[in-house]
Amino acid sequence: MTGTPLTLYNSLTRTLEPFAPIDPHVVRIYTCGPTVYNYQHIGNMRAFLFADTLGRVIRWKGWPTKHVINITDVGHLTSDADAGDDKMEKAAAAQAKSIWDIAAHYTAAFKDDVARLNIEPPAEWTVATDHINEMIAFAQKIERDCYLIDGGLYFDTSKVPHYGALARATTDQGESRIDPVSSKRNAADFAIWRRSPPGEQRQMEWDSPWGKGAPGWHLECSVMSLKHLGHPFDIHTGGIDHREIHHPNEIAQNQAFCSCEDTGARIWMHNNFLVDRGGKMSKSTGEFLRLQTLVDAGFHPLAYRLMCLQAHYRSELEFTWDNLAAALTRLKRLVIALDALRGRDDGTLKGDAELYLARLEEAVADDLNTPRALTVLDELIADKKLSPTVRIGAIADFDAVLGLRLAELTRAEMRLRPGSATIDEGTIDVRIAERKQARIDKDFAASDAIRDSLAAAGVEVMDGDALGWDWKLGAS
Ligand code: AMP
Ligand code: ZN
């Protein structure tokens, strides 16, 4: 697809930049993946939805992509300041399980959520612990910019010319930015290799030239992006928290490795946070919402995808149940409208949807403006000057970018059973049919009794629902 050139916001320059692939045959994208010591919360999933939308837009523009997402199963400490415990070790101790079991469990749960949100799986899932040898080799190559202290091998951030440029921080600001680990040369210096404390045996530790231990968290992304994509690749993504520490440190490692000023990626992109009333949603604070929590409350996972698409990825997005309910209603309307179009489809090609496709392109080319693309989609669906066939064809183009599975999503699928529901859909449908008959027979006592018994089972009968739904499951 030609037309409006794609512009993307580059966190490095803090400006919108025209996008031109390094190699038009394959656009290479790296996304910092989950640390698998716990379930991903819906805020984390926003980061992957954003990266997915980016990939979809690039492919829709006609460039194939190679997307890599890593799985962090070692090295991420409870504090970004290289202090505290390894998140994985801590979770394993708390649940009395091996780290490997913990990692396998949460990785599988994450991949389930990826599928349920219709996120295209990456070309490769790369796992940190599969790359220990490469990490050691990389660390040896940048060792001249590092120094050894009791805690392990540390990177000297004063050795790279513009350390922290991505965060718009200087090494001086770093003094207050990052808690010092005693004997670090500069506060912003970070661990490349963390030595196991003497006399302490860790579940995950490897021999290295700097003693038994484990890699620092930032190392894996430099190593895996280099190995699986090559430097420089096109786009590196992550949540906006990564713009402050993790990505500046990755860049410093990459620059030390190539002895050049190349950051490793042309464009660095960051999604803003999903927040709730308590602030940024975070795994480490314990209580958080998972995709499964939403499903258990009766929401289709794609309602959450639509909720995210309704906001620009660089804006903070507040999660409320009302917002989610509104997104579910919008999704239902889309599904109903498409059903209706299919019902009237007689194969005639009347009218031309080019204008809508051009507006879709304009919207997504403007730094992935999905809220605008959704508005254009609403207009397209309602445009009676176009025959159903023409509209259905153009909607498929919109959905290639939006990923809402509009072509196959059914009304029945929209009705999810909360985890707490004690009644199955077949029984509900029978009871609803009996109630309808009772009303036809003007036996209101019987119809009320059926409504009340359904309510007791957590099912709300929806008389006169504007969208034509008979019932819904309440989050009882
Ligand atoms: P983690 O598993 O903690 O490494 O995080 C996985 C991804 O989620 C990273 O890209 C984070 O930057 C991102 N992230 C974490 N919290 C949020 C949030 N509340 N909203 C959006 N993205 C987030
Ligand atoms: Zn990373």
Side-chain angles (χ1 to χ4, degrees), residues 30-33 70 72 217-218 220-222 224 236-238 242 246-247 250 268:
Y30 185 92
T31 296
C32 286
N70 67 297
T72 299
W217 170 40
H218 316 292
E220 64 174 89
C221 290
S222 285
M224 293 192 277
H236 196 311
T237 80
H242 287 351
H246 179 49
H247 289 170
E250 244 185 275
W268 293 74

Side-chain angles (χ1 to χ4, degrees), residues 33-35 40-41 43-44 239 241-242 271 273-274 280-281 283:
T35 310
Q40 291 287 285
H41 56 62
N44 298 132
D241 47 339
H242 287 351
N271 63 279
F273 286 135
L274 180 80
K280 175 200 162 213
M281 201 166 282
K283 270 186 280 186

Side-chain angles (χ1 to χ4, degrees), residues 8-55:
L8 298 172
Y9 187 82
N10 188 351
S11 298
L12 270 179
T13 55
R14 301 285 201 274
T15 57
L16 286 168
E17 293 179 6
F19 174 74
I22 298 171
D23 172 1
H25 298 103
V26 57
V27 173
R28 290 164 292 152
I29 306 169
Y30 185 92
T31 296
C32 286
T35 310
V36 285
Y37 70 104
N38 202 337
Y39 295 109
Q40 291 287 285
H41 56 62
I42 54 173
N44 298 132
M45 296 316 291
R46 186 182 187 202
F48 303 109
L49 283 167
F50 149 64
D52 186 51
T53 305
L54 173 69

Side-chain angles (χ1 to χ4, degrees), residues 97-128:
K97 287 192 179 141
S98 85
I99 290 195
W100 308 101
D101 288 344
I102 296 277
H105 175 78
Y106 293 118
T107 302
F110 168 63
K111 288 182 181 173
D112 276 354
D113 287 355
V114 162
R116 290 193 288 181
L117 288 169
N118 199 28
I119 293 171
E120 288 280 338
E124 291 188 57
W125 296 107
T126 62
V127 180

